[in-house]
Every structure is written in structure tokens, then in C-alpha cells.
Amino acid sequence: MTVTLADVAARAQVSPATVSRVLNGNYPVAASTRERVLRAVDELDYVLNGPASSLAAATSDLVGILVNDIADPFFGVMAGAIQSEIGGPGGRAGGERLAVVCNTGGSPERELTYLTLLQRQRAAAVVLTGGAVENVPHAAAMTAKLRKLTDAGTRVVLCGRPPEPETTAIALTFDNRGGGRELTEHLIGLGHRRLGYIAGPEERTTTRHRLEGHRDALAAHGIEEDPRWTVHGRYDRRSGYEATLELLRRDPSLTAVVAANDSVALGACAALRDSGLRIPDDVSVAGFDDLPFSIDAVPALTTVRLPLAEAGARAGRIAMGREEPPPGGIATVRGELMVRGSSGGRARR
């Protein structure tokens, strides 16, 4: 049954005119009233009628791209590649579509809010990038929201993100677990047995999968992991710097540091230098993603290259219906180990 503006007004206990004012934003409304109306809109999952040109079709010319942090090259590279594939035949405005990048800041609530807004605008497609939040209520809400989007005719593509069960969303997922295992095996092959690990936020799937790969490699080589060797933090340089100092405080004999991503690895390198340690002579460092600056670090960073631009472009083409989805709707994108100077020769500490 279609939810009407009158239904929202009844739920919020206001007039239909007040609901219209809140949704159109063209008239001042008391904050408490506005909050009540928006809560009713969310509870009823009301979809705002768009312009007549949008109503003539199932979807509009709008494409949403959700990222955690547009300032992070990981997301910037993918978003740019996705947007490069958005134009072309299919839209009504001269064949073009409007790509809107939604910066969630890593907030699960903002992620759902943006999806609701895109649903109300009848977005032609939505591409979600990066890892998912491992939270049962949020996962259930995401499943319900993605199903509503796809049922309404919106194409949903997950890029660098695990599949969403019980939905028809297409998933191009990165092999973070395999890349993490290969990276740590490389360091073990150089003789390292005391490896510190700087992990990302604990609630993220990317964090868990990369850490599982690291631990799989340790176990396969009979290395017992010391709980002191793992520190969690954000996916940024400052976190890498602070976590490395903490690792050195816990165990000064570490011979290698494995970072959750390349930005974290740069912070780790700075902390090691400030502690009077040489890279890789005293401590080897490895990152993940092969972000553009990785090869220009001094020494150049050993990392796992994820084909971010290629995956983003493919996600964009699938979202626009210009490339067939992978069989079963899921494809695993594997990384490539890039051995550079920061891991150097054999362990010497």
C-alpha cells in the first residue's frame, strides 16, 4: 500500500501543509515539529514525489555513491572511477546522469539516511563502497533498505564490500583475507617472527578480514601470536603513528609492523623514525591498498595492491547497465603483493 503525505501528517500529528513545508524546506518550522515529521517519514518509509519528469519513469537521472571519507584516497580513487562511468546513454538530460557523492564519515546512521534520501529521489543506481559495519541491527536495517531500493527499480552495486544477504545487490568484493595472509607470509619468509599489527576499527568487515588473513599466516607457520602485538585504531596516519608507539612500548623487540592500510603505514614509518629506528634495517613495515603515494614513500612501501580504479569503473558500468553482472551477482577481486623497500631484506633484529 502506498504511503501518502496525509499518512505522514497523521502519524506526526500535524497538517499535510506542515509536512510539505518540512520536506520542501521552503518555510520555517519549529525544530521539534520538524523532528517529529522526519521521524514519521522514516517510520512509514515515505517516498517524496519528485518532478513530473521523474514520475514518468521508475527512476531519475540521479546516481548515489556512498563513501566513508572522500578525503581518503581509497574512497576517492573508487568514487572518481565510478563517476567516470556514470555518463552516457540512459539519462534524459542529454544522455548524462548526475552523480552525487555521499560522505558518511563512517557513521552507520548517516549511511542509512543517505540511502533513504536516494530512495525518495528514485535514484537510478546506488554504489556503496568500502567495508560494512558488523552490527546486527544495522545489518538488518541495511538489508531492508537495499531491498526497498531494488524493488523500486534502483540498481545497487557494492564495491569493495561483502555481499548483502537476502538482497539482489551486486557485490564486487575485495579478497582482504587472502591479501592479508600473503603480506604476512612475505614477512615471515624474510625471517620475521615478532610482527606487530595495526588493525582498523573493530566493527568493520575490512578490519576483520585483513586481520584474519594475518593470523592465518602466523598459524600456518607455527607462530604463536602475542596479544600485545595487535592494536586497533582508525584508518589514518595519526592512528598509525600512535599505535606504533604503543606497540614499541608493549614489545620493543618487534621486527616488523603490518598496517591496516597505507595511510596507517605512513604513520607507522614516522613513529619508527622518531623513535630512532631505521626502516627496514631495524623494523620492516608493510601496508595495504597500494594508494598513489605508496611508491613515493621513503623507502617505498611494501603493500597489497587492490585494483581500486578498475573495480570502481566496473561497478559504475554495472550500475548503468552497460556491463553484465558477474555470475551469481558476486565477484571476488584479488590483490597483488607489491614488494618494495620498506620490507627490505631479512629480519636483522
Side-chain angles (χ1 to χ4, degrees), residues 33-64:
T33 302
R34 175 182 174 80
E35 182 180 347
R36 198 161 67 249
V37 170
L38 293 178
R39 187 185 310 119
V41 166
D42 286 338
E43 289 172 353
L44 296 174
D45 208 16
Y46 174 65
V47 178
L48 179 66
N49 282 343
S53 60
S54 293
L55 294 176
T59 59
S60 68
D61 290 321
L62 181 69
V63 176

Side-chain angles (χ1 to χ4, degrees), residues 28-339:
V29 177
S32 59
T33 302
R34 175 182 174 80
E35 182 180 347
R36 198 161 67 249
V37 170
L38 293 178
R39 187 185 310 119
V41 166
D42 286 338
E43 289 172 353
L44 296 174
D45 208 16
Y46 174 65
V47 178
L48 179 66
N49 282 343
S53 60
S54 293
L55 294 176
T59 59
S60 68
D61 290 321
L62 181 69
V63 176
I65 304 171
L66 270 66
V67 301
N68 281 3
D69 181 5
I70 194 61
D72 184 335
F74 177 91
F75 294 102
V77 169
M78 280 195 291
I82 294 166
Q83 187 166 0
S84 71
E85 297 291 337
I86 295 304
R92 290 185 294 282
E96 295 296 323
R97 295 198 188 266
L98 174 65
V100 175
V101 178
C102 306
N103 198 87
T104 69
S107 165
E109 293 77 18
R110 294 302 300 166
E111 188 171 63
L112 288 170
T113 297
Y114 281 129
L115 290 176
T116 298
L117 293 172
L118 290 165
Q119 178 190 354
R120 291 176 190 163
Q121 295 298 320
R122 292 180 169 85
V126 174
V127 182
L128 295 90
T129 64
V133 174
E134 296 193 305
N135 173 279
V136 174
H138 179 68
M142 280 294 295
T143 296
K145 183 59 64 179
L146 295 184
R147 289 178 69 175
K148 288 181 182 296
L149 280 163
T150 54
D151 287 348
T154 298
R155 292 193 186 93
V156 177
V157 183
L158 313 175
C159 186
R161 189 180 182 111
E164 287 283 351
E166 302 177 32
T167 75
T168 57
I170 306 303
L172 304 179
T173 182
F174 294 138
D175 183 16
N176 287 303
R177 188 180 288 105
R181 182 173 58 249
E182 186 177 8
L183 188 64
T184 297
E185 286 179 341
H186 164 69
L187 292 169
I188 291 172
L190 294 174
H192 294 282
R193 295 297 182 271
R194 305 183 71 82
L195 297 89
Y197 192 95
I198 306 174
E202 293 187 73
E203 71 276 7
R204 291 278 165 183
T205 54
T206 300
T207 298
R208 178 169 62 84
H209 293 158
R210 292 182 183 183
L211 183 54
E212 285 176 351
H214 168 74
R215 288 172 170 166
D216 286 348
L218 294 178
H221 290 270
I223 301 174
E224 184 175 353
E225 183 186 16
D226 189 318
R228 298 177 300 163
W229 294 352
T230 301
V231 177
H232 285 269
R234 301 173 305 280
Y235 281 117
D236 58 29
R237 183 186 183 280
R238 180 176 179 178
S239 175
Y241 188 95
E242 294 173 349
T244 299
L245 295 181
E246 175 63 17
L247 286 171
L248 292 174
R249 185 191 66 78
R250 293 180 183 184
D251 187 352
S253 66
L254 292 174
T255 64
V257 172
V258 183
N261 71 2
D262 294 341
S263 297
V264 173
L266 284 190
C269 289
L272 291 169
R273 286 193 295 267
D274 288 351
S275 300
L277 296 170
R278 299 167 300 168
I279 306 167
D281 304 75
D282 299 319
V283 180
S284 288
V285 178
F288 209 111
D289 296 333
D290 196 24
L291 298 177
F293 57 75
S294 301
I295 197 168
D296 294 320
V298 180
L301 193 61
T302 289
T303 183
V304 173
R305 180 186 184 274
L306 291 180
L308 302 176
E310 294 90 336
R314 185 181 182 190
R317 291 192 297 271
I318 292 173
M320 292 297 94
R322 293 203 296 270
E323 180 173 324
E324 287 295 316
I330 300 172
T332 300
V333 181
R334 305 192 185 283
E336 177 186 1
L337 179 64
M338 310 298 291
V339 178

Side-chain angles (χ1 to χ4, degrees), residues 1-11 19 41 44 46-47 49:
M1 180 177 176
T2 302
V3 177
T4 67
L5 186 141
D7 295 327
V8 176
R11 173 67 68 93
V19 174
V41 166
L44 296 174
Y46 174 65
V47 178
N49 282 343

